[in-house]
Every structure is written in C-alpha cells, then in structure tokens.
Amino acid sequence: MDLFYRSTRSDCKPVKASEAILKGLPEDGGLFVPEYIPMLDKTLNELSQMTYQQVAYEVMKLFFTDFNKEQLMSCIEKAYDNKFDVEEIAPLVEANDAFYLELFHGSTIAFKDMALSILPHLMTTSAKMNHVDKEIVILTATSGDTGKAALAGFASVEGCKIIVFYPKNGVSMIQEKQMITQKGDNTFVVGISGNFDDAQTGVKHIFNDKQMEEELNKHGYQFSSANSINIGRLVPQIVYYVYSYVQLLKEEKITDKEAINFVVPTGNFGNILAAYFAKNMGLPIHKLICASNDNKVLYDFFDTGIYNKNREFILTSSPSMDILISSNLERLVYRIANGNPEKNKAFMDALNHSGTYTIDSEMADQLHDFYGNYATEEETAAYIKNLFDQTGYVVDTHTAVAGAVYEKYKASTNDTHKTVIVSTASPYKFARSVMTAINQEYDKLGEFELIDELSAISNVVVPEAIEEIRHADILHQNFCETEKMPTVVKDFLGI
Ligand SMILES: *Cc1c(COP(=O)(O)O)cnc(C)c1O
C-alpha cells in the first residue's frame, strides 16, 4: 500500500512520494508530511549486519513506496559511492564519553551531502515516473553548506538547472569559495545583500508566485526545491540515525534495544526532525538533544512554548545554524497539534504576521522527547580547545555547539545514557574559527596555511574538497539586492 503525503496547512489532496519530491512544497505554502510514520520492518540485529546502502534501502522503501526496488537501489548506489572517502559512509569516532557521528565524508565535507547526493537521483527518477516533460529548476537558499552540496549534487544532471542564493556576508571564506568555483553550465550562484532568512523568504516568495510559475511553464520550466523542506532530503537523513545505532550494536558498545541519546546541532530543524522520525519508526532513542548557537529561538521554544523570531540576528562561528525561522519545526508543530492543519496554519500565519506564536500546554506536553539548550561563542571555542587538548580530536564549530550543549545536559540531568554527537561538518570547512579556538596565534596565518597547520596538528589529511579549491578559478561573480531575486532568476533562464 502506498504511503501518501499531505500538507501541514490544509486538507488538500494527498500525493505520492515522487510527486512530493518533485513539487518540493504543497501549493498552500505548508510542508509535505507522510500520513503516518512507518515502523522499521527489520530487527535491529538484522540491520546491524547491513551496509550503509542496504540500511538506506530498508528505511527509504518504507517512505518512498511508489519507487520500485530497482529504482530506489539505483538512486542509492549512485549517491553513496566513492564520492565518500570512507566505505562506511558515516563513521563513528569515540572520544571522551561520547561517540561522534561523522557526517562529513561526502564531496563537500558537510552533512548536507548525506541527503543532497541522493536528491538529484530521486528527483530525476520522480520526473520519469510522473512523465514530466519540463526542465526542473532547483531554487535554493543557503546559509553556506546546502548551496555547495546542492550544486555538487545537481551539476551536470540532465534535465535540471540549479540556482543558489547565499548571504554575501554570512558564509565562511571556504564556503563561498566552494560555491563560486562550481563548474557546470546548469549552475548559477548569487550572493544577496540580506541574511539567510532573507534568502529563504525570497525563495519562498518566488515559489508562491503564481504569475512567475505560469511564465516558467510557458518556457518549459518548473521549479523545485533542494532545501531541507523537501521530503527527498528529510528521509535520507533518517538513515544515518538507524545506521549509527546498529553500528554501536554490532560493535557491542550497546546492548539490543538499549536507548541512546543523539545531540544534534540545529538550524532549520531538518536533521533533528529526521532523528525524531527515526525514534517514531522504533529506533530506541532516549533524548533528542537540540543544540543551538546564540540564535537560540529553538531553546526558547522548548523552554517556554513560545516561538519568537523577533530578535537580533547574530552572526556566529557556526553560520549554518544562524537561523531565526526554523522551517522544519512546522512539521513538529503539526504533529503535536495532532495532525490538525487548521491549528498548525494558525500558528504559521501568526509567525508570518507578528513573528511569534505560543503553543498550548497540551502540545508542550508532547515535547518530552526533546531537550533544548544553546552554547555561546566562548563555550563553543572552549569545547574545541578542551576536546583537542584532552584527546587530539578536532571538531568543527557546529559540532562543538552540540558538544558544549551535551556538557550542559549532563550537568543538569545526570543522565548516563550513551550518547552520539552528530558531527555535521569537517573542521577544515571552518578552519579559522577552529584553529583560533585552539590557539589565538593561528589567526596570523593565511587561509591555506591554516589548512596545512590543521592537518599537522590533527593528523588528518586535507580532504579532496579543500585541495580542489586551493587553485580553482572563480566562475560565479553575481550579486543582487534581496528584492531583485525574481529578476535574477528570470535573467538566468532567459525569460
Ligand atoms: C545545515 C547545517 C546544520 C543545521 O542542520 P539543520 O538540518 O538545518 O538543523 C548544522 N551544521 C552544519 C555544518 C550544517 O551545514
């Protein structure tokens, strides 16, 4: 039986997975959610004998029910191949009293690769299944990592074009260089004057612009989204929660059905929502620890039940989490509103109009799976330094936010469940922040001197993704004011 997807904001007609992947967003401005969360149909012991690719199949087949086995396996095999520099795809590293789940072994060395290596294949397969004859235009807003991962995934994919908007002054030098050196005639990269939320809102406006949609149609194009609101990104992220759990089981670090914690450095709430789905599929998870940086809207939400984006936007050393409108939270709000789209819509309308909403106590009672906290810039830097001094292991700033929040969690709860810290980026991607956390003196070094020094102190070879941009040519030099985003899109498409 097919699993259908409905909108979080109205009772519009449910669609199949392939249609939800193609459309990205439902027409009413909500997000697609599965009608129910399927249970794993293999035991944890069975799963522990499988490769990453096999686990991926076991998870995805339950959500993408209109794909046949051959189609799904083909997508998985194209995605999780030797683009990843380790065979396990998502290895675990034990240091101090936690396990670090390294999700940065793909082509752009951040966790977005985990989903964006497969999304283009899910999308082109969906297009074939639905007899789409138009060219797909992927429109993406990025706080840095999504952009490059989406560009790498979609570059030169036939039948697709990709346009990426990023905040010109809100990404790291390495992140920007990775994007503006992107090859492929079907790619287009634009810096905007605003911050990430402005970029994301701009993209949402373009998606909801009916007139623009008609113009595109006339010229043989249709939009889709590679942002984490696409269920084609959410579902592949469930896989590594299941995989890391069964790896721990296989290595006898935990016993069968032993509950563990996951600490997730969070921005748009996509990654941690995938962990929540994994828990609802039957994976034994005790707490989902939601870690924020100084932009602590989510901590305040879990603490008070009030979501309030009306606050100063703070640029931090973990830019991929500098977000005040956490899009995927809508899927959680919908769920704790017992799947009532009107109720959810009222909250989202309030967010749109006044920038804030307050959930009721019945809803707040359903948030006990989560613990939220945040780490300041000083706490984040201190975590990097302490972990390095004690173990020689170097983590990036986002992972350090998670680590620092885990320290607070342990101190306030005395919880002893084994814990996995989700490591979302390679320290190489944020070398300056990481190195100056270890020693302020490093700030004197140039960008690539820092890279070489990081390699020397951590004993980790410089990843291919960094080597590549050392001498790469800059191929994109576009900039626009936020309001001009629709014009820029039309210009690139020649309409
Ligand atoms: C995107 C990103 C995050 C935040 O993930 P969400 O799914 O948006 O919560 C954390 N760390 C890094 C390195 C990222 O690129």
Side-chain angles (χ1 to χ4, degrees):
M1 228 186 45
D2 271 332
L3 174 58
F4 283 88
Y5 291 78
R6 47 175 68 246
S7 168
T8 51
R9 294 200 196 173
S10 73
D11 275 323
C12 63
K13 189 172 152 282
V15 299
K16 292 184 180 176
S18 63
E19 296 170 277
I21 291 169
L22 271 179
K23 290 177 93 147
L25 291 172
E27 263 134 44
D28 58 18
L31 302 180
F32 283 117
V33 278
E35 286 192 304
Y36 60 89
I37 297 181
M39 298 301 287
L40 289 166
D41 62 5
K42 293 281 184 318
T43 67
L44 297 168
N45 272 315
E46 282 170 326
L47 291 163
S48 74
Q49 302 307 313
M50 296 184 188
T51 62
Y52 190 89
Q53 293 79 357
Q54 288 166 329
V55 173
Y57 176 72
E58 292 302 326
V59 170
M60 290 189 213
K61 72 171 191 195
L62 301 170
F63 284 93
F64 301 151
T65 52
D66 55 336
F67 288 63
N68 64 34
K69 181 164 186 179
E70 194 188 335
Q71 288 168 323
L72 204 48
M73 282 306 294
S74 155
C75 292
I76 289 168
E77 272 156 20
K78 283 184 202 143
Y80 305 111
D81 60 6
N82 58 13
K83 283 194 281 304
F84 286 78
D85 63 12
V86 285
E87 207 177 318
E88 311 97 287
I89 308 293
L92 283 159
V93 172
E94 190 171 2
N96 275 356
D97 60 350
F99 300 93
Y100 293 81
L101 174 58
E102 295 189 348
L103 300 181
F104 53 75
H105 289 273
S107 47
T108 76
I109 60 174
F111 99 94
K112 307 283 194 300
D113 287 328
M114 303 304 297
L116 281 163
S117 345
I118 193 165
L119 183 68
H121 305 295
L122 293 172
M123 210 168 260
T124 47
T125 309
S126 298
K128 275 194 208 114
M129 285 161 69
N130 289 277
H131 312 290
V132 169
D133 53 2
K134 296 195 177 62
E135 188 156 4
I136 296 167
V137 181
I138 302 293
L139 213 53
T140 292
T142 183
S143 54
D145 292 335
T146 300
K148 179 62 190 186
L151 288 162
F154 281 96
S156 310
V157 171
E158 203 148 319
C160 296
K161 282 191 169 29
I162 172 159
I163 305 174
V164 169
F165 292 101
Y166 71 96
K168 178 74 189 161
N169 298 315
V171 300
S172 83
M173 173 270 177
I174 296 280
Q175 285 177 317
E176 180 172 44
K177 191 122 192 244
Q178 278 189 311
M179 290 190 280
I180 63 180
T181 58
Q182 179 64 49
K183 296 189 182 120
D185 289 343
N186 65 337
T187 67
F188 192 56
V189 180
V190 191
I192 66 152
S193 53
N195 61 34
F196 170 68
D197 285 328
D198 299 323
Q200 181 158 263
T201 306
V203 163
K204 268 203 150 185
H205 280 315
I206 299 177
F207 274 130
N208 292 332
D209 183 339
K210 289 274 173 287
Q211 200 185 336
M212 184 116 174
E213 189 182 332
E214 270 168 41
E215 269 179 74
L216 251 83
N217 267 325
K218 258 200 316 226
H219 290 85
Y221 293 116
Q222 79 179 49
F223 282 133
S224 192
S225 157
N227 273 100
S228 62
I229 43 187
N230 193 310
I231 59 126
R233 275 196 54 192
L234 189 59
V235 172
Q237 292 177 356
I238 301 170
V239 175
Y240 46 76
Y241 290 101
V242 177
Y243 181 72
S244 59
Y245 183 95
V246 298
Q247 287 317 104
L248 290 174
L249 183 59
K250 184 174 162 186
E251 289 161 20
E252 299 182 356
K253 302 283 186 190
I254 55 174
T255 55
D256 193 17
K257 305 203 178 63
E258 178 176 344
I260 64 171
N261 301 315
F262 282 99
V263 193
V264 188
T266 300
N268 233 340
F269 209 75
N271 202 358
I272 195 165
L273 187 75
Y276 179 67
F277 274 38
K279 177 166 184 170
N280 285 283
M281 292 178 83
L283 195 69
I285 297 178
H286 177 59
K287 284 282 177 199
L288 297 166
I289 301 170
C290 177
S292 301
N293 64 22
D294 277 323
N295 296 292
K296 59 184 182 59
V297 263
L298 289 168
Y299 163 65
D300 292 338
F301 174 73
F302 286 116
D303 194 35
T304 62
I306 302 169
Y307 193 93
N308 187 353
K309 73 157 179 101
N310 301 320
R311 61 181 77 201
E312 191 196 343
F313 182 94
I314 303 169
L315 290 177
T316 72
S317 59
S318 45
S320 303
M321 295 156 65
D322 290 345
I323 290 173
L324 294 180
I325 306 173
S326 207
S327 312
N328 270 297
L329 188 68
E330 175 167 353
R331 289 184 163 116
L332 179 66
V333 170
Y334 170 81
R335 198 174 156 90
I336 61 175
N338 296 324
N340 178 339
E342 284 80 38
K343 191 168 174 182
N344 172 65
K345 182 171 186 297
F347 291 124
M348 297 307 136
D349 286 346
L351 180 64
N352 241 341
H353 296 132
S354 63
T356 178
Y357 60 86
T358 306
I359 58 169
D360 56 44
S361 60
E362 225 172 281
M363 293 170 74
D365 286 346
Q366 295 179 63
L367 293 176
H368 50 77
D369 289 328
F370 293 90
Y371 166 92
N373 215 325
Y374 71 103
T376 63
E377 289 292 274
E378 293 72 37
E379 289 164 340
T380 303
Y383 187 85
I384 293 172
K385 179 169 173 51
N386 291 339
L387 185 66
F388 174 69
D389 287 347
Q390 288 164 18
T391 68
Y393 185 56
V394 181
V395 293
D396 99 293
T397 44
H398 303 74
T399 310
V401 167
V405 164
Y406 179 50
E407 302 279 299
K408 292 186 185 181
Y409 171 78
K410 279 187 298 185
S412 70
T413 61
N414 294 317
D415 180 22
T416 56
H417 285 85
K418 304 216 172 79
T419 297
V420 171
I421 293 175
V422 176
S423 184
T424 50
S426 159
Y428 282 100
K429 202 152 189 179
F430 302 94
R432 185 161 303 274
S433 303
V434 168
M435 291 299 275
T436 52
I438 291 170
N439 187 339
Q440 197 56 45
E441 287 293 300
Y442 287 130
D443 210 17
K444 290 198 290 252
L445 300 182
E447 210 66 39
F448 282 96
E449 287 171 309
L450 268 177
I451 295 285
D452 293 329
E453 188 62 22
L454 172 54
S455 180
I457 67 163
S458 64
N459 259 318
V460 175
V461 287
V462 179
E464 185 54 35
I466 297 287
E467 286 301 350
E468 240 171 49
I469 57 170
R470 227 185 251 264
H471 308 291
D473 293 333
I474 291 173
L475 303 173
H476 303 265
Q477 277 176 309
N478 310 299
F479 176 80
C480 80
E481 299 297 327
T482 310
E483 309 79 63
K484 288 277 156 52
M485 287 169 58
T487 319
V488 164
V489 169
K490 286 191 204 168
D491 285 350
F492 174 60
L493 298 175
I495 59 181

